[in-house]
Every structure is written in C-alpha cells, then in structure tokens.
Amino acid sequence: MSIPKTVGWLARSIPRASRKTNPRVRHIPLPQPSRCLHNQTKKSAQAAPQPRQEPAFSGSSNPQLSFPCLDNAEDRTRELTGRRSLSGPEPTYTTGEHQTFHSAEPLLLDWGGVLPSFDIAWEAWGTLNADKSNAILLHTGLSASSHAHSTEANKKPGWWEKFIGPGAPLDTNKYFVICTNVLGGCYGSTGPSSRDPISGKIYATSFPILTLSDMVRAQFRLMDFMGIDKLYASVGCSMGGMQSLALGILDTERVGRIVSVSGCARSHPYSIAMRHTQRQVLMNDPAWSQTRGNFYETMPPHQGMKLARQIATITYRSGPEWEKRFGRARADPSKPPALCPDFLIETYLDHAGEKWCLEYDANSLLYISKAMDLFDLGRTLQDATAQRRRDNVGRLGDQLQRQSLDEMCSLTLPEQPYEEQESSADIMAAASKPGGQPMSSGPPPEDLVKGLAPLRDVPTLVLGVASDILFPAWQQREIAETLRKGGNRSVTHVELGEDRSLFGHDTFLLDLEGVGGEIHQFLG
C-alpha cells in the first residue's frame, strides 16, 4: 500500500533528530513509558498540571502504556498558564486587516435579546458600479472570517481564494463582492468575546441567543451604510447557504438572485445531534464548565475545542475520500498499537483539532452552532418569530431594559427521559409498504412550502453533493422541490455525484470546477 503524501505535516512538528527514515511513511515516535499519567491527582482547570509521576512496574505483568496525546494537552495547559502570568488573557482572535462597520443603533434579536450597538467586519473585492447594482453578498460557513480572498492590506490567501477574482466564479471584473464575519463571530464582528458597551465587560455567556436571521439583519445594516438597496446576488455555502435563503425571505426586494450550496431550508435531526455533541464536549471541558463560559481571563477550553473540532471534521469530509487518502494505514506500522492517535486518520483528526483549538472563540462556536440548529424557514416558525419580535420591540426604547431571570433561565430538564413514541420497526414497516417513502424522499411539508413562497420570483441555484453526510443531498433536493411547489419557475438544482466530488461537505471549499463552474454559469 502506498502512503499518501498528504501526511507530510505529521513530521513537521517533530524534532529532526527524533525522525526515523522510512521509505513509506513519516511517523510520530511514541514517547517512552516514563511519561505516564498513572496515579496523578485531580487538577483544577486553572492550575498548571502537576509533575508526572514515574510508573511503578514491579509486580505488573505488562508495562504501563504511554499517552502522548494527554501529555501534549497538559503541556499546552502548562504553556498557556505561563503565558497568562506574563502577558494576560489569551488568545487573540484575529485574521488580519479588514474593514469595520459600526452600528450605533440597537439591534433587536429574534429571541428577545438586544445588542445596544455592534460591529461587523467586512472585506470587498471588485468595484461597485455607479447605480450600485452589481453587489454580491457572500455568506460564510460557521467558523470563517471575512477574509475570503487576499487584499492589498492582507495578502494571505482567503478561504475562497480561487473562487473570487477576474474571470473567477465571483468575477470581480463584473461584480463587487462583499464578505462579512457573521454577528456572533470572533474575527472582528461583535460576539461573545466582545465587550458589552453597557457593562464594559466581555459578554461571554451573557451574550444573547441569536439566529441566522439576526446575522442577516446585521448585514442589512452594512448594506444600508453602503447605499446598496438591492443585491445582484446573495451567495452562500453551508451555513452561508442557509443565510442566503434567509436573506431572501426577510426582504425579497433586496436580492436579485440566490445561490445556496450544501445548505438546507431547515436544520434536520442529524446535523443538530452532531452540533449538540460538539457543544457538550466543549462545555464539559473544566476550563469552560467551571467558569460557565467566562474563561477569558483564565484558561481557554482548548481540550474541549480540540475534541469538538475533531467531531466536526468527521462530518465535513469522511467517506470515500478518506478511504483513498488514508485507508487503514498506521502512522508507524513498526510500533505497537497505541490508544492515542495511531492510524493515519486518527493523526489527521488530531492535527485538525490541535491547530484550530486556539484560533476560534469557544463561545462563538456555541452560539453560532445553536443558531444553525434553530434554523427553520417554515411558515409556523416565521409567524411565531414575528409575533415574538412585536412583543419585544419595546426593549429597543430602553437599552438598559433586561429580561427577567425567569425569562432568561426558563429551561428545565425533564424528570423522565425521552421515550420513543414510535418504534424503529414501525417506522421501517411504514416505509416498506406500497407507496410508503422515507421521510427524506417524500413531498416537502406544506409548512415549508408556505415559508419559502416569498421566493417564487427569485431565480435560485441550489447545489448539493452526494458525498456530503452533514447536509445530505436530499436536503438540497428538498429546497428545490419546495421552491418549485411554491411556484418558483427559475430553480436550478445541481447534484454533484461521487464521480465528480469525493470531498463531502467541504466540496464547496475545494471543487473549483464543479461548484465554481455552476455558480459562474448561474450568475452569468
């Protein structure tokens, strides 16, 4: 078996003297058994790890296993503790130079919270024409910044570098492309790591619950500031694809075309479950749980963030691509198996979590992922949200007005756990009856048809990927079918099969020909 070249990063962080030559792989040597965690005392989340104890091997039939993955986590905690004692809170979330729009007017959020003021980080490429009719608003995924493409002020390649530029899918010879860091983020826009202008303290978990529609309302403020009454197009992938649809629903008159790639019209149980798991892993990191998210002047929950990112990475890629890249290869077949990262896929996930755990605010991950879970463009939720906003609009008159404690903390856990109302066997039997269909392939629900009806006159491109397990292709089919049932005759639906893309959900970041080509053709 040939080992992929993509694992070159595995060796870059290893001291040169410790590497062994192997014609097939680059590997990470396991530490000697003297670095173990046996019989260590429980440590505070804010205290530096205690010196590791020497293992006692006498009387044992086998030596104690070594755990370099835990050693590394303790080393990072110790390092951060030392840094904080000298330089104050860490880390700093930033992506380089960008523009900042400040709104001094308060913003009412869908669930009753109020931001007295807020900032939106943004960057742009191309030239806005005289009548300001060529603007494209690019919406990001969960953790991306406004830096989608390099600029004179920040020459670092952006997260969609090849998709933006002269002759690119978002052609800057034609269009003025704007990208923002979402409200709730940590790359220049107001979020949990920002300071509350009323108290002067970091919001942390006093930041109010927000929705994807709240993020779009903040973007509308930026459009107003720029004098852009109507976008040529709203373009987004993943969470951005959800925002792109939400923008059209909030104000159909402000957008000429919609592009939604690997998104959905309502969050479904699988993606909610995966994001919930990530949040639980993060919130149970002692650095988060012992401070209830107010960790900014102590220790960031880097271990929880690392594990949360590993879970997310599984949903972003996986599938046939990983079989081709990694197969069942181990990092160093000459070594005995280990409980720490051992297979190449394990070391890949470990690396993905390690490099990211201090680059993104933990609370932004919690708030934005929850906003994704709450997303539903069905008419029932839209009506309930509109009524709630009417009930709460008075809070804008007094920025100091706060929700009562009962309103803010009304969630209680049920005394009895959830019990299945319908057995799995009953569900399978219903699907196997003549004419029976799985829920995912049935007709779109009427509530969703009514909810998307405002887009009946907006040309829309909906693109999905067969290898995507986080936003499966049937969810994009649901969007297209719902729009068509609601009367939209200008729906373009494209599904990239595994023969065209093996990259799962991350296809929108990687497939310039497939995803980029379809967007370029649709925009004209």
Side-chain angles (χ1 to χ4, degrees):
M1 176 186 297
S2 62
I3 304 303
K5 296 180 179 179
T6 53
V7 300
W9 52 264
L10 290 174
R12 283 198 286 270
S13 61
I14 307 172
R16 187 174 300 274
S18 68
R19 304 178 190 171
K20 292 185 178 181
T21 303
N22 187 309
R24 301 184 63 204
V25 296
R26 297 179 182 178
H27 58 270
I28 301 177
L30 297 177
Q32 296 302 312
S34 60
R35 298 189 70 187
C36 78
L37 304 179
H38 188 58
N39 291 333
Q40 288 192 8
T41 57
K42 186 176 181 180
K43 298 180 284 291
S44 166
Q46 300 180 25
Q50 299 298 314
R52 300 184 181 99
Q53 302 297 315
E54 291 292 331
F57 290 140
S58 59
S60 176
S61 59
N62 295 285
Q64 167 74 45
L65 293 177
S66 61
F67 294 93
C69 51
L70 301 184
D71 294 341
N72 291 341
E74 289 196 338
D75 288 343
R76 182 185 285 278
T77 299
R78 184 177 293 103
E79 178 187 3
L80 288 171
T81 301
R83 286 184 186 177
R84 287 175 183 281
S85 66
L86 296 175
S87 59
E90 295 213 24
T92 298
Y93 307 106
T94 182
T95 57
E97 294 293 327
H98 56 259
Q99 302 293 317
T100 301
F101 162 69
H102 177 75
S103 176
E105 296 296 320
L107 180 68
L108 176 66
L109 306 181
D110 281 344
W111 281 96
V114 175
L115 293 178
S117 61
F118 65 89
D119 291 338
I120 291 295
W122 63 278
E123 296 176 51
W125 306 267
T127 303
L128 187 63
N129 60 15
D131 60 1
K132 301 185 178 181
S133 62
N134 69 332
I136 291 178
L137 182 58
L138 174 61
H139 307 273
T140 73
L142 186 154
S143 59
S145 71
S146 61
H147 194 60
H149 185 75
S150 54
T151 64
E152 284 298 318
N154 184 357
K155 297 184 183 298
K156 181 180 178 181
W159 58 266
W160 234 29
E161 184 74 18
K162 295 181 180 179
F163 290 75
I164 301 171
L170 300 189
D171 190 346
T172 52
N173 288 333
K174 299 179 180 179
Y175 310 119
F176 180 65
V177 182
I178 310 162
C179 183
T180 76
N181 178 220
V182 297
L183 189 70
C186 57
Y187 292 133
S189 295
T190 295
S193 59
S194 305
R195 292 195 178 274
D196 182 343
I198 301 299
S199 69
K201 299 179 180 180
I202 294 176
Y203 276 110
T205 46
S206 69
F207 195 79
I209 291 291
L210 77 165
T211 68
L212 300 192
S213 293
D214 292 327
M215 299 174 190
V216 172
R217 289 188 182 91
Q219 292 172 322
F220 279 155
R221 295 274 184 95
L222 173 62
M223 290 172 55
D224 293 341
F225 169 74
M226 293 180 169
I228 299 172
D229 296 325
K230 184 173 183 177
L231 295 166
Y232 180 83
S234 174
V235 177
C237 307
S238 186
M239 185 184 81
M242 301 154 76
Q243 288 178 276
S244 194
L245 293 171
L247 184 146
I249 295 297
L250 284 177
D251 195 340
T252 309
E253 299 300 317
R254 300 203 72 167
V255 62
R257 293 163 184 78
I258 288 174
V259 175
S260 179
V261 178
S262 296
C264 63
R266 51 185 179 137
S267 284
H268 292 268
Y270 174 79
S271 60
I272 294 174
M274 295 305 296
R275 288 188 290 266
H276 163 77
T277 304
Q278 294 171 49
R279 289 195 296 270
Q280 289 296 296
V281 165
L282 169 54
M283 292 167 66
N284 278 281
D285 183 317
W288 198 96
S289 63
Q290 292 180 10
T291 63
R292 293 302 191 264
N294 293 274
F295 57 81
Y296 294 98
E297 295 183 358
T298 56
M299 178 68 60
H302 60 93
Q303 297 182 53
M305 282 290 279
K306 177 179 178 178
L307 293 173
R309 186 63 171 187
Q310 289 186 36
I311 296 170
T313 302
I314 294 171
T315 69
Y316 294 158
R317 305 291 279 269
S318 81
E321 178 208 359
W322 285 2
E323 181 66 31
K324 291 180 178 295
R325 290 179 64 188
F326 306 116
R328 290 183 44 78
R330 294 176 57 216
D332 188 351
S334 69
K335 298 282 187 180
L339 297 180
C340 281
D342 179 23
F343 285 90
L344 283 184
I345 182 58
E346 294 175 319
T347 60
Y348 169 79
L349 292 174
D350 185 74
H351 173 72
E354 187 71 26
K355 73 176 184 179
W356 192 77
C357 66
L358 291 175
E359 292 181 356
Y360 195 76
D361 176 40
N363 287 328
S364 284
L365 175 61
L366 296 176
Y367 277 84
I368 297 176
S369 69
K370 189 64 179 183
M372 295 178 72
D373 291 353
L374 295 171
F375 184 70
D376 181 356
L377 292 179
R379 172 52 58 188
T380 299
L381 183 58
Q382 288 188 46
D383 290 345
T385 300
Q387 182 59 53
R388 189 165 55 247
R389 291 184 65 82
R390 287 191 290 270
D391 294 342
N392 290 322
V393 71
R395 292 194 170 121
L396 289 174
D398 181 2
Q399 295 180 16
L400 296 177
Q401 185 176 357
R402 292 290 184 266
Q403 292 170 284
S404 70
L405 188 60
D406 289 339
E407 288 179 295
M408 295 178 65
C409 305
S410 59
L411 177 65
T412 57
L413 298 178
E415 294 182 2
Q416 297 295 326
Y418 170 78
E419 294 183 2
E420 295 284 354
Q421 302 300 309
E422 187 177 12
S423 72
S424 299
D426 291 338
I427 295 174
M428 293 296 292
S432 62
K433 288 180 180 178
Q437 291 180 311
M439 291 173 57
S440 61
S441 62
E446 195 60 33
D447 183 60
L448 195 61
V449 174
K450 293 178 180 178
L452 292 185
L455 301 181
R456 66 172 59 89
D457 297 322
V458 182
T460 304
L461 168 64
V462 183
L463 192 148
V465 179
S467 59
D468 190 343
I469 64 171
L470 183 59
F471 288 80
W474 67 263
Q475 295 185 9
Q476 291 83 56
R477 289 197 296 271
E478 179 180 69
I479 298 173
E481 292 168 6
T482 302
L483 288 170
R484 287 167 178 158
K485 191 172 181 180
N488 192 320
R489 298 293 179 261
S490 301
V491 178
T492 302
H493 175 232
V494 178
E495 184 173 314
L496 301 180
E498 291 186 6
D499 59 325
R500 293 186 61 187
S501 182
L502 302 177
F503 300 116
H505 187 64
D506 273 358
T507 293
F508 74 87
L509 293 170
L510 303 168
D511 192 346
L512 182 61
E513 179 181 354
V515 175
E518 296 294 343
I519 294 175
H520 190 276
Q521 182 176 345
F522 176 77
L523 294 178

